[in-house]
Amino acid sequence: MGLNCHVMSKPRKFQKSIECEILINEVEKLSQKGEVTIEPSFRQEIVAESSKTRGNFNSTIIEPRHMEAAKQLKADPYITIRRADKASTYAVIDTPEYLQKMDEILSDTSKFMKITKDPTEVLKTKLNRIIMKNNSTSKTVKFEKYTAWDTIPTPTYKLAKRLCTLLSPYIPTTYSLRSATEFLDILKTSDSSGVIASLDVESLFTNVPVDRTIDLIIERVYHNDTTPDLDVQESVLRELLECCTKEAPFTCPRGNKYRQIDGVAMGSPLGVLLANFFMGCIEEVFKKTQKPDIYCRYIDDIFIKTKNQADTEIIRQRLQQVSGLSFTIENNTNGTMPFLDILVKQTDESFNTEEYVKATNPGHCLNGRSECPQRYKDSTIGAYIRRALTHCSTWQQVHQEIERSTQVLVNNGLRQKDIEKQTKRIFERWYSNNNNNNNNSENKDIVIFYRAFYSTAHQEDERIITRIIKNNVRPTDPERMLAHSVGNHCNCRSEPSRSISGNFLF
């Protein structure tokens, strides 16, 4: 069935109570803003519902023989199994070879320091001292202290996630792409003449200079008139960032303990933030002297358009000089080049685009036999169809991509009638939106989201939560609608956003 055939997973104890409490808080925030009115019985009904468990979480796919096979693989001392970084696959490697490769990486003393004693408790004590200093002076930003029974393997993980939230608004984003759609918009409004190429930063995360990046963060947060104030002392923020990057311990496969003293650890919540912060600041310096026709970046991949290849090489050398990192160039082939999941083609008049699929792409997606609500399978189908509409420049390319996508979906066990149904629905909505003069009008819906868990009785849970919201919560503005959104969580998708600004349909 493949690695993308997902099964029901039992939620943690009290998880439903936590999600119900989050729901209550979200609705009360809307009430405080004056957007909704709440009936007195709302809280009582939600609290009563939070204690109820319906259905079961027993998978009908996983059999005892599967569990036994998995245990045998895990217990085999001669092989090591690791999840791939950027794909739904696993790497199986001989354990001696795996250990040798790890030893080679950890032998770089400029990035890793071997330690003989577990510094976790000392680090917790230091963090609590810094946190207490902040909490006694800051009025709006409070950090949670570490407790004696907090035994998480990496003590800085939770704090690093909080710092990401606080510092994300300060990242320079002038040349940073948030999605492929933004890149397509740039191509649509740009002249196609010139030379296109892509630059790639070699091992950006592990080569980000931590001290230099922290200095750039401090400069932008506290010494820049264009950014808002952060209610955290400068010295406190610096200490917290240093603890989360240079003092976080980890255990290698041989059991030895190390600290990563430079670069950002893979898997750290601060990885993307520090990489984007460093590159964003570097680009602000670089763009003062170099002005390519097009320059945009997604994490470590850069798309540029210059007058000739000599200018492209000058830009690469200048970026290396300013950043201290290494950059590689991928030149176009006859005016054609992939970037992100888009194949860009230069023509005399404009850029032509279509969806790019790597030759090594195995064609995996959510398996049709997965134990999850049908709307997840419909969403998977929709993602393929919508991407064909947005990424392809001509209708011929759109239809070719839909044919390819349909075959991929069928290969993964999704039903042909569901694919045809979703394709028809998306095309009708696309035509309607393009022919509707009010297409750009602001959506006035107030969306309230509740994260449920998939079980054999998930539809009844959703119906009850929806009924409670409908009976007890009303918009204060009669022209606005209340969109009751109940979404399931299972191990076949990432956790949905807590934001109430999105429109989640069910």
Side-chain angles (χ1 to χ4, degrees):
M1 290 176 285
L3 296 173
N4 286 306
C5 192
H6 298 278
V7 299
M8 285 188 289
S9 57
K10 190 174 182 179
R12 298 189 302 272
K13 192 176 182 181
F14 306 123
Q15 191 64 46
K16 185 174 182 179
S17 298
I18 293 171
E19 296 300 331
C20 286
E21 186 64 30
I22 291 172
L23 172 62
I24 292 171
N25 289 340
E26 294 289 355
V27 173
E28 289 181 345
K29 286 179 183 178
L30 289 172
S31 177
Q32 292 169 4
K33 293 178 182 178
E35 296 186 40
V36 300
T37 57
I38 308 173
E39 297 294 329
S41 58
F42 172 70
R43 173 179 281 272
Q44 289 80 0
E45 290 186 33
I46 292 293
V47 170
E49 174 60 24
S50 69
S51 63
K52 298 198 171 64
T53 302
R54 300 180 184 87
N56 66 70
F57 301 93
N58 299 323
S59 173
T60 59
I61 294 177
I62 295 295
E63 301 174 13
R65 62 189 179 94
H66 298 142
M67 297 299 295
E68 183 60 32
K71 289 178 182 178
Q72 290 178 11
L73 281 172
K74 184 177 180 181
D76 189 335
Y78 299 104
I79 62 171
T80 297
I81 305 173
R82 291 289 182 266
R83 181 74 179 263
D85 182 34
K86 295 180 179 178
S88 297
T89 58
Y90 281 82
V92 182
I93 187 171
D94 290 338
T95 298
E97 183 182 355
Y98 175 71
L99 294 175
Q100 179 186 351
K101 290 179 180 293
M102 290 300 302
D103 290 340
E104 291 173 359
I105 294 172
L106 295 173
S107 64
D108 186 351
T109 55
S110 66
K111 288 185 169 61
F112 303 100
M113 176 188 293
K114 189 175 181 179
I115 52 181
T116 57
K117 185 179 179 181
D118 187 352
T120 299
E121 294 304 320
V122 174
L123 181 57
K124 285 182 182 179
T125 302
K126 180 178 180 178
L127 287 170
N128 279 338
R129 175 182 58 79
I130 302 170
I131 288 170
M132 289 176 63
K133 178 181 177 181
N134 172 80
N135 292 353
S136 64
T137 57
S138 176
K139 296 181 180 179
T140 58
V141 180
K142 306 291 183 181
F143 296 105
E144 185 179 347
K145 290 179 60 178
Y146 290 89
T147 60
W149 54 85
D150 195 342
T151 58
I152 54 177
T154 306
T156 59
Y157 186 86
K158 183 168 59 176
L159 178 61
K161 289 187 69 174
R162 182 73 192 286
L163 290 174
C164 280
T165 303
L166 292 173
L167 295 176
S168 290
Y170 295 89
I171 298 175
T173 58
T174 305
Y175 308 105
S176 178
L177 296 169
R178 289 177 295 180
S179 65
T181 303
E182 285 191 349
F183 177 59
L184 289 165
D185 290 340
I186 291 173
L187 294 181
K188 290 175 183 177
T189 57
S190 299
D191 178 25
S192 63
S193 62
V195 175
I196 59 174
S198 69
L199 301 177
D200 180 69
V201 190
E202 294 185 6
S203 303
L204 175 59
F205 281 24
T206 54
N207 287 318
V208 168
V210 172
D211 289 329
R212 185 179 173 188
T213 305
I214 291 176
D215 288 340
L216 291 171
I217 292 173
I218 296 298
E219 177 67 26
R220 191 167 182 85
V221 172
Y222 297 102
H223 307 287
N224 190 327
D225 295 335
T226 63
T227 55
D229 294 334
L230 179 64
D231 190 17
V232 176
Q233 289 185 18
E234 180 178 331
S235 60
V236 168
L237 180 61
R238 182 182 290 276
E239 286 185 282
L240 291 176
L241 286 170
E242 289 177 348
C243 285
C244 290
T245 53
K246 301 169 64 177
E247 299 188 35
F250 65 92
T251 304
C252 78
R254 292 190 186 276
N256 299 320
K257 295 188 181 298
Y258 288 83
R259 276 193 347 212
Q260 184 163 343
I261 55 179
D262 201 13
V264 185
M266 296 300 292
S268 168
L270 287 171
V272 175
L273 180 128
L274 264 67
N276 274 328
F277 223 113
F278 180 72
M279 289 302 300
C281 292
I282 290 300
E283 286 160 348
E284 289 185 340
V285 175
F286 154 78
K287 287 285 284 185
K288 291 179 181 178
T289 57
Q290 304 292 329
K291 299 184 183 300
D293 298 337
I294 298 178
Y295 180 99
C296 51
R297 174 182 54 83
Y298 185 80
I299 311 296
D300 58 351
D301 293 318
I302 302 169
F303 181 91
I304 59 174
K305 182 173 78 73
T306 58
K307 292 180 175 59
N308 51 59
Q309 287 188 349
D311 287 348
T312 302
E313 177 60 24
I314 291 172
I315 288 172
R316 184 186 74 85
Q317 293 179 3
R318 179 58 177 159
L319 280 169
Q320 289 191 158
Q321 179 185 2
V322 175
S323 67
L325 302 176
S326 296
F327 290 75
T328 59
I329 293 180
E330 180 182 352
N331 293 308
N332 70 79
T333 303
N334 298 323
T336 300
M337 191 189 69
F339 186 75
L340 302 181
D341 59 347
I342 300 167
L343 187 64
V344 182
K345 299 180 180 180
Q346 286 177 288
T347 67
D348 293 337
E349 297 82 19
S350 61
F351 286 107
N352 183 287
T353 61
E354 60 184 78
E355 186 164 354
Y356 173 66
V357 181
K358 290 183 178 180
T360 55
N361 188 325
H364 293 159
C365 67
L366 179 67
N367 191 283
R369 292 183 62 184
S370 295
E371 295 175 314
C372 62
Q374 180 60 37
R375 61 175 169 271
Y376 288 173
K377 300 172 186 179
D378 292 343
S379 178
T380 299
I381 298 168
Y384 277 88
I385 306 305
R386 280 189 289 270
R387 195 158 53 230
L389 283 168
T390 57
H391 287 26
C392 297
S393 299
T394 67
W395 281 112
Q396 182 181 2
Q397 293 169 335
V398 170
H399 288 294
Q400 289 175 348
E401 177 55 29
I402 288 178
E403 286 183 359
R404 186 198 69 84
S405 299
T406 299
Q407 187 62 59
V408 169
L409 294 165
V410 171
N411 291 347
N412 284 273
L414 292 159
R415 296 182 298 182
Q416 183 73 38
K417 67 175 185 178
D418 291 333
I419 299 171
E420 293 174 355
K421 177 182 176 182
Q422 291 303 313
T423 302
K424 180 181 178 182
R425 182 183 66 84
I426 290 169
F427 265 81
E428 288 177 348
R429 180 175 294 180
W430 189 89
Y431 278 116
S432 175
N433 288 340
N434 280 274
N435 294 324
N436 187 352
N437 294 329
N438 297 321
N439 181 40
N440 295 323
S441 61
E442 183 180 356
N443 184 1
K444 295 184 178 182
D445 286 355
I446 301 174
V447 183
I448 300 174
F449 179 74
Y450 168 75
R451 192 183 95 174
F453 286 83
Y454 181 60
S455 73
T456 55
H458 74 277
Q459 291 180 326
E460 184 178 359
D461 279 346
E462 294 172 8
R463 179 181 58 78
I464 292 172
I465 289 290
T466 301
R467 176 181 55 77
I468 293 174
I469 295 174
K470 183 177 180 180
N471 292 341
N472 292 278
V473 183
R474 292 176 177 79
T476 53
D477 184 348
E479 294 186 0
R480 302 186 71 182
M481 300 291 290
L482 193 66
H484 320 118
S485 173
V486 182
N488 287 97
H489 169 80
C490 68
N491 58 357
C492 59
R493 75 176 223 180
S494 59
E495 178 178 343
S497 169
R498 299 292 185 192
S499 170
I500 58 171
S501 60
N503 192 5
F504 299 84
L505 302 177
F506 57 92

